[in-house]
Amino acid sequence: MTSDTPRWKPAPLLPSTDARDKALIFVIAVLVFLASITALGTMAADRAARGWSGQLESSATVVVRPKGVESVDTAAARAAEALAGVKGVTEARAIEKEQAEALLEPWIGKDVLMDDLPVPRLVTVELDHDNPPPNDRLEAALKSAGVDATLDDHSLWISDIERGAGFARWAALAVFLLIASAAAGVIAFATRAGLAAHHDTIEVLHLYGAPHAFIARLFEVRFARIAAVAGLFGAGAAAIIGALARLAGGGAGLTPVLPVAWLDIAWLAAAPVLASAVAALAAWRTAEGLLKGMR
């Protein structure tokens, strides 16, 4: 035998390619893409909610009402001065009448804002994020200054934001589990079809004493590889969309509501691994269950 004679290599027990692989890769890639987009949206929404909560926790609003013959502008100025002296307050500023009217205009209309309409004045208070003063200290400062005012620490808004963020997280988890279940179902169906298509090969392996675990491993490796390739396509498409959203919106992402970060996109690198793991588990369990029924 000369050195030019090609070395004989045993053929694989399962074919390396199948006519249905392209369709299977497409379906899994779409599922991975949807899961990746869901993950990007969830991480961006959670970041936005934490940012809003942090801003609200670091601020408070005071609604000032005039007493006696004192004008509301004077009362607001005295309230801002009293609050500015409280430890933990970084800034207290009275909002001017024009700004207060601009805040009310979307709700009651521009024509209704007449000069004799008693528009309350607001005082915005910026607090030290690391050491904010308690509400009773702020209220005591207003009371000592003789100002009739109501303090709003934004706790109601913070609670709503946290509740909405929690709902978004659970909804995203439910969507992810649903997509993972769909992917597992697709792999299980493909495994059943593969076992039926290669029934003769499996029978020969049985005759030679191959255990069920060995045969199931063949399908596990095959579909894990297919899912990994599909995961690369799906996660890659989602990463491109995430990168475009990040570049289009600058530092805040596409919009302040969904601030996509580069770290979010980097996390998508785990998608092919997760897709491969789900496919391997689904193929293994399906093959094991079917092979136990073949005697």
Side-chain angles (χ1 to χ4, degrees), residues 189-236:
F189 178 81
T191 303
R192 290 175 180 271
L195 285 170
H198 303 289
H199 186 271
D200 295 339
T201 302
I202 294 171
E203 287 291 342
V204 172
L205 292 174
H206 270 300
L207 291 176
Y208 280 91
H212 291 162
F214 173 79
I215 302 174
R217 180 73 63 182
L218 296 175
F219 288 91
E220 177 188 7
V221 173
R222 171 178 170 75
F223 288 113
R225 187 183 301 113
I226 290 176
V229 173
L232 285 174
F233 285 116

Side-chain angles (χ1 to χ4, degrees), residues 15-34:
S16 56
T17 59
D18 191 281
R20 293 163 292 192
D21 287 354
K22 291 183 179 179
L24 182 60
I25 290 175
F26 175 77
V27 172
I28 297 177
V30 171
L31 293 174
V32 173
F33 171 78
L34 295 176

Side-chain angles (χ1 to χ4, degrees), residues 69-83:
V69 296
E70 183 182 35
S71 68
V72 67
D73 293 318
T74 303
R78 290 200 303 111
E81 183 179 0
L83 292 171

